[in-house]
Amino acid sequence: MGQTYSGEQPSHNVSPEQLSHELAQRFAEKCFSPLELTHYKDIFQTLADEQDGIQYWKEETLCRFLAIPDALAAGPIIYQMTSYLGAFPFPSLAPAILTRGALIKVVVVMTQRYGKVLKRGGKDRNKLLFRSLAVFDRRLSSIASPKLPADVQALRDEKAEKAIGVESAIDGVYSLAQGFSTDEPVGGEEDDEDDDELALAALDSLDAIEVYNMDRHSETKMQQAQIPADNFRKLLMLLLIIAALESHENLPKVAEYLVESRLSAIQKAADSILWSFKPEDSPGITYNTFNTIIHNSLPYLFDGLNPLFENFLFSKNLDLSRHRVQLGAQPASAPSMQPADVKEPLLPSEGEILTLTALSQLSFFMKSDVLFHRLHPLYSGNQSGFSINSISQKILNWRAPTIILVAGTHISDTPTGGRERNFADSLPPKRFPDGNKGNSNSSRVVFGAYLEVPWRTTHKEAIGDTNTLLFQLEPLHEVFRASSINRDYATLSKDGMGFGVPAAKKSVAGLDNHVVLGPVSLYLDENLEFGAFTHDGAGGGAFATSNVRRGDWQDRFEIESLEVWGCGGDEEAQKQREAWKWEEREAAARRGIALGRDKESDYALLEMAGLVGGHGNSGGSMG
């Protein structure tokens, strides 16, 4: 890909441009197979523009190749990221022209193949991605960013809109042709967070740390960097769409469902995630906030970028089978007239809560191999009935992990009816205010939990392990991870279902018999009519407190939808069906009914009579 750098030449005499070129060459040689590199070169040269003998890609070319939907307006954001990453590991060279060498570095970073070259240092690209999204301007912390959504801007001080120089400070975000909007660094000591481990590892591989040290002094510090909230929102919408993207899969196939209703759901999910970064506190997202939330609640947020950029390694122009025929090999057999294999759906069917958009949101903090093509509907309250008996009947025989999702609407602190009053009386008096509603105008809340161990009735002690998760999806996105302080992870009894709630103890006459709510807990009452999510900032329970939201809150809500999904393959589903079938036969035997040889007909007759089958739903199905 060009000249090589001589190891005998002192690194401090080599320019950043030369070292950047050398790194691109090493990436090309070490991170790709010869075939992949051939595909990449063909794609680049086919679509590249040329000026003064330099081939390069324009923003329009990049967005068209990646097939980024225009409705998302995320193309300029992706181009900003690639222009910054093309200058890796020297921020002072950004924004870079997307030449073949610059774009090869982008592909390596986006597909996380750099480990073959950067053998030292951290492997986490999150800081690099933050820098690629951020605007480096000390004025950004004191002014509002333009063109924010109305719901975000409404929370901003109106005086901030009149600040001088708003537009000029943010222009670089919306037009990369003008470069990044930067300012001179503010005086002070260098902070540790300014060091980029991937950049250091890259320069260490080139034995050129001194050059990096000189380059970093010309850069603004991370304290001056913020990601504009509106830009991040657009990127979140794209990430929700590509979350389930597979290697070499085209984005248009995934984006086919971008009808108006789907787009609205994606916007809503993106807002829930965005508001977990608390954009009302500042015009953008700082690195400390970004790093904290990504690490705890969104560890797999950027995973969809990997297969998206792997499309650079598969050219449709190269037909290897045709090439073999031209070389004298036996021609391939005539193509089959059978229809192409239909791709297995991500979900057997969408639920009321677990839609494809919600599935993508879950994949930001749960591994995709647990979710995609692996979920089975076990229980739906609106179809099987809202009761502890009905949910127990559906989930107790599932011998694999489960995901529980509950959606509802806030209820008033003052009960408005007998059922609400009974629920309020079963709980300790409410001491905390309602949780943050983010930018939502509705009173809808969505909570959930992930339990890795099989369910069982909890008479004396809770079940679960440190892999148990408690989370909120709406109106804010946050994950509360299991703590080791106590083990009250999950409970299921005649008194209700709980996460972070101790197992029910026998009531004693004359004593307070309210349900004991853990410091961070989700409780669903015995009739599955109402629920309560509690966050006591003092902590000390089965789940850790919020990493971002300080203070105490409690959301009490009326349950509208409740779903349980089993995580596993066909083997787990078959075991559950066999266990259910055995239980039904045992139940029939206890009733003194002998099944004949035609077991299916007999079973159907018993089900019609209401003697077996629970509430009329076959095991493992919501439909």
Side-chain angles (χ1 to χ4, degrees):
M1 294 180 62
Q3 69 182 35
T4 59
Y5 163 65
S6 173
E8 297 178 359
Q9 188 175 1
S11 60
H12 61 272
N13 291 331
V14 181
S15 68
E17 290 82 358
Q18 289 175 295
L19 289 172
S20 181
H21 179 79
E22 170 67 12
L23 181 63
Q25 183 174 3
R26 291 198 182 185
F27 277 160
E29 294 172 352
K30 303 292 186 181
C31 300
F32 302 103
S33 68
L35 181 59
E36 288 175 330
L37 204 56
T38 299
H39 279 266
Y40 169 78
K41 291 178 179 178
D42 178 75
I43 290 173
F44 180 86
Q45 292 174 353
T46 300
L47 300 178
D49 285 272
E50 185 171 345
Q51 183 175 350
D52 297 331
I54 299 177
Q55 289 186 319
Y56 67 97
W57 273 32
K58 299 184 298 186
E59 176 182 330
E60 179 186 358
T61 306
L62 178 70
C63 296
R64 186 174 70 250
F65 174 75
L66 295 178
I68 298 174
D70 293 336
L72 303 182
I77 314 302
I78 294 297
Y79 185 72
Q80 172 182 335
M81 296 176 70
T82 56
S83 297
Y84 183 91
L85 297 176
F88 179 77
F90 297 105
S92 63
L93 300 181
I97 298 174
L98 293 184
T99 62
R100 194 170 76 180
L103 199 52
I104 201 80
K105 290 187 290 182
V106 173
V107 176
V108 168
V109 172
M110 289 298 199
T111 59
Q112 294 183 291
R113 296 191 176 206
Y114 41 74
K116 296 179 180 179
V117 173
L118 313 184
K119 300 186 181 301
R120 298 182 184 180
K123 305 301 182 186
D124 189 354
R125 62 178 176 174
N126 285 345
K127 181 177 290 188
L128 192 58
L129 294 180
F130 174 85
R131 286 179 175 271
S132 73
L133 288 163
V135 173
F136 292 82
D137 196 314
R138 66 185 175 192
R139 293 170 291 175
L140 190 60
S141 61
S142 60
I143 60 176
S145 57
K147 301 180 184 178
L148 291 176
D151 45 19
V152 177
Q153 194 65 44
L155 293 176
R156 202 65 50 76
D157 186 351
E158 294 181 0
K159 295 181 180 180
E161 296 180 326
K162 301 178 181 179
I164 298 176
V166 170
E167 295 292 336
S168 61
I170 315 296
D171 277 345
V173 178
Y174 300 97
S175 177
L176 263 295
Q178 299 176 15
F180 296 145
S181 182
T182 60
D183 196 9
E184 293 299 322
V186 179
E189 296 297 324
E190 294 290 345
D191 194 275
D192 289 340
E193 67 183 16
D194 290 322
D195 288 321
D196 191 306
E197 291 184 352
L198 281 182
L200 288 172
L203 272 298
D204 181 60
S205 69
L206 298 172
D207 192 24
I209 294 295
E210 299 89 342
V211 180
Y212 176 78
N213 289 334
M214 290 186 293
D215 183 79
R216 74 190 290 268
H217 284 298
S218 68
E219 276 302 299
T220 53
K221 292 164 53 171
M222 293 287 279
Q223 292 119 329
Q224 302 165 30
Q226 294 187 27
I227 302 175
D230 192 41
N231 283 18
F232 197 55
R233 182 176 184 266
K234 294 172 183 176
L235 178 64
L236 286 172
M237 292 175 64
L238 175 64
L239 294 174
L240 284 164
I241 293 174
I242 66 175
L245 199 66
E246 297 179 359
S247 182
H248 296 157
E249 184 179 12
N250 292 326
L251 182 55
K253 294 182 180 180
V254 179
E256 286 176 353
Y257 64 91
L258 274 184
V259 295
E260 185 175 351
S261 59
R262 297 285 189 179
L263 190 59
S264 176
I266 292 170
Q267 291 172 339
K268 187 175 182 179
D271 283 339
S272 295
I273 298 173
L274 175 64
W275 276 77
S276 66
F277 291 85
K278 300 186 1 179
E280 75 276 16
D281 289 355
S282 66
I285 300 167
T286 64
Y287 177 71
N288 284 336
T289 301
F290 177 87
N291 187 52
T292 298
I293 296 178
I294 293 294
H295 176 75
N296 182 76
S297 297
L298 300 162
Y300 311 121
L301 176 66
F302 298 110
D303 282 8
L305 294 174
N306 293 38
L308 180 65
F309 278 82
E310 281 182 355
N311 281 291
F312 278 97
L313 308 178
F314 181 74
S315 173
K316 296 180 180 179
N317 296 331
L318 300 181
D319 189 340
L320 298 182
S321 62
R322 182 177 60 187
H323 181 64
R324 285 194 297 269
V325 172
Q326 292 174 349
L327 291 179
Q330 291 295 324
S333 58
S336 173
M337 299 304 294
Q338 296 179 354
D341 293 338
V342 178
K343 182 181 177 181
E344 182 182 0
L346 297 174
L347 285 173
S349 61
E350 292 187 86
E352 295 176 352
I353 308 175
L354 188 58
T355 61
L356 291 175
T357 300
L359 183 67
S360 294
Q361 192 173 349
L362 289 178
S363 73
F364 289 164
F365 61 91
M366 297 176 61
K367 292 185 177 180
S368 59
D369 57 6
V370 175
L371 298 173
F372 301 141
H373 315 293
R374 299 282 294 176
L375 295 183
H376 299 267
L378 303 181
Y379 166 81
S380 168
N382 286 321
Q383 297 184 21
S384 296
F386 290 90
S387 72
I388 290 297
N389 285 338
S390 61
I391 194 173
S392 298
Q393 201 172 54
K394 298 296 183 181
I395 68 177
L396 288 180
N397 288 314
W398 182 261
R399 314 311 298 172
T402 50
I403 296 173
I404 299 87
L405 297 171
V406 58
T409 55
H410 274 113
I411 58 177
S412 172
D413 291 346
T414 303
T416 57
R419 294 185 300 116
E420 286 189 20
R421 189 174 296 108
N422 291 336
F423 175 65
D425 291 343
S426 69
L427 302 179
K430 186 176 180 182
R431 301 181 292 119
F432 304 147
D434 291 345
N436 192 331
K437 294 180 63 175
N439 67 336
S440 175
N441 294 322
S442 73
S443 57
R444 175 181 166 90
V445 292
V446 177
F447 296 98
Y450 169 75
L451 185 66
E452 201 162 87
V453 303
W455 279 97
R456 62 177 173 81
T457 304
T458 55
H459 298 292
K460 296 182 179 180
E461 60 181 9
I463 59 175
D465 55 24
T466 53
N467 293 319
T468 308
L469 296 175
L470 182 61
F471 53 86
Q472 181 176 7
L473 299 183
E474 293 182 33
L476 272 74
H477 174 106
E478 187 163 8
V479 177
F480 305 90
R481 299 189 177 272
S483 168
S484 58
I485 295 178
N486 71 49
R487 301 184 63 82
D488 295 327
Y489 299 121
T491 54
L492 178 66
S493 70
K494 62 181 180 60
D495 298 309
M497 173 183 279
F499 300 90
V501 177
K505 302 295 189 297
K506 292 183 178 180
S507 60
V508 179
L511 297 180
D512 183 2
N513 293 317
H514 289 139
V515 175
V516 178
L517 302 177
V520 179
S521 61
L522 174 65
Y523 169 69
L524 310 181
D525 74 347
E526 57 185 353
N527 298 315
L528 302 183
E529 287 185 295
F530 298 97
F533 179 87
T534 303
H535 181 276
D536 185 341
F543 295 96
T545 56
S546 172
N547 287 98
V548 179
R549 290 183 279 175
R550 304 304 177 194
D552 310 321
W553 70 88
Q554 186 180 79
D555 290 317
R556 295 186 179 186
F557 55 93
E558 183 176 6
I559 297 175
E560 296 179 342
S561 302
L562 178 61
E563 298 174 1
V564 181
W565 295 75
C567 309
D570 295 336
E571 182 179 354
E572 288 82 1
Q574 179 61 28
K575 288 180 179 179
Q576 186 195 40
R577 285 192 291 268
E578 292 175 354
W580 271 328
K581 190 176 295 185
W582 181 86
E583 284 190 355
E584 300 292 8
R585 292 186 62 83
E586 287 296 303
R590 287 194 296 271
R591 296 185 181 97
I593 301 174
L595 296 179
R597 292 183 178 181
D598 190 353
K599 297 178 181 179
E600 292 185 0
S601 298
D602 290 340
Y603 183 87
L605 184 62
L606 292 174
E607 190 173 31
M608 291 174 61
L611 298 178
V612 299
H615 293 263
N617 243 35
S618 59
S621 176
M622 291 186 186

